[in-house]
Amino acid sequence: MANINLYGYRYSVYTRIVRLVLQIKEQDYDSIEVDPFSALPPGYLDQHPFGRVPVLTHGTFSIFETQAITRYLDSTFPANPLMPETAKARARVDQTITIIDNYGYLPMVRQVFSNRVFAPLEGAPVDEAEISMGLEASHKVLESLERFAKEGLILNGQGCTLADCHLAPMIDYFVRAEEGHKLLRAYPALNTWWWDSIQGAGILTATDPDLSLLGPKI
């Protein structure tokens, strides 16, 4: 079997998404730490010309962009499939991933979590205005995902899909901020999915980034 290498930043939700898929697929891999916010390793731009994470290599094959990586893994390793069988459910998976990438990551992770949780752990200043803007923008994202959870095609606790894998790490960061935790409770179907299907099942435990390792930068 070809070796799998995952190049990523331990605190990146996108790196964690890939780690979660590899875990579900029961695939061993080597993890190579790459911090996109500091000097990149020599030659890394040859693998990812935009200097971001993650990158996955499988033997001589190299691929970047999280959606592409997770689709590749799901297609390459058929055990524990992560795409539902019906066209409507598959469309909802694609729609959820696109929504969270395009509209959810910035407010929920970069604005709310990064300022309320991550910045204090690094000894950095907190931008309350950014948190407020992030919470406001998160409403529409959560409203859309609530409709999908209520509909029941995905985010239903009946089986893990790529939608669960892409969304769960972002919600995990979001609810670590008290404001995010409170806001999620306003969306009962999504809240049930999170606490029963994700937290209750413990599927994120093995990929926890361990924020206790953070400390003020000198």
Side-chain angles (χ1 to χ4, degrees):
M1 294 293 290
N3 290 335
I4 299 175
N5 294 312
L6 176 61
Y7 297 80
Y9 182 48
R10 69 176 299 120
Y11 303 114
S12 162
V13 289
Y14 288 104
T15 299
R16 193 179 187 190
I17 289 166
V18 177
R19 292 180 64 203
L20 182 56
V21 171
L22 286 165
Q23 171 188 307
I24 292 169
K25 292 292 181 177
E26 300 179 351
Q27 292 300 310
D28 294 329
Y29 64 97
D30 292 319
S31 182
I32 299 94
E33 183 72 9
V34 175
D35 183 350
F37 302 103
S38 61
L40 295 172
Y44 187 73
L45 290 177
D46 293 333
Q47 295 178 296
H48 197 316
F50 303 100
R52 296 187 177 182
V53 293
V55 169
L56 183 127
T57 62
H58 184 206
T60 60
F61 181 69
S62 179
I63 184 170
F64 64 88
E65 290 302 315
T66 303
Q67 288 192 45
I69 294 171
T70 58
R71 290 282 193 172
Y72 171 76
L73 291 171
D74 194 40
S75 298
T76 302
F77 304 105
N80 305 318
L82 291 170
M83 284 297 287
E85 294 183 358
T86 70
K88 290 179 180 179
R90 294 169 78 92
R92 288 295 191 229
V93 168
D94 293 339
Q95 196 174 11
T96 296
I97 293 171
T98 302
I99 287 170
I100 198 68
D101 280 352
N102 291 337
Y103 312 113
Y105 171 72
L106 175 61
M108 296 169 66
V109 177
R110 298 291 293 174
Q111 292 182 303
V112 176
F113 166 77
S114 291
N115 276 282
R116 180 61 74 214
V117 180
F118 199 87
L121 291 173
E122 287 201 305
V126 173
D127 190 329
E128 295 290 346
E130 283 287 302
I131 294 173
S132 295
M133 288 189 293
L135 290 168
E136 180 64 28
S138 295
H139 277 282
K140 188 173 290 187
V141 176
L142 296 176
E143 285 172 1
S144 297
L145 299 175
E146 174 74 2
R147 287 197 292 271
F148 299 163
K150 283 183 176 179
E151 181 183 50
L153 293 174
I154 61 169
L155 308 180
N156 55 18
Q158 301 304 307
C160 190
T161 71
L162 288 179
D164 298 83
C165 294
H166 280 254
L167 179 58
M170 302 221 189
I171 294 292
D172 180 48
Y173 269 2
F174 185 62
V175 299
R176 295 190 192 210
E178 180 58 35
E179 297 95 332
H181 183 98
K182 180 179 179 181
L183 184 56
L184 183 65
R185 291 201 300 267
Y187 300 93
L190 195 60
N191 191 61
T192 297
W193 163 82
W194 171 248
W195 292 109
D196 292 355
S197 302
I198 304 301
Q199 286 291 81
I203 68 171
L204 288 176
T205 302
T207 61
D208 188 275
D210 192 0
L211 298 181
S212 68
L213 298 175
L214 287 167
K217 292 184 177 179
I218 298 175

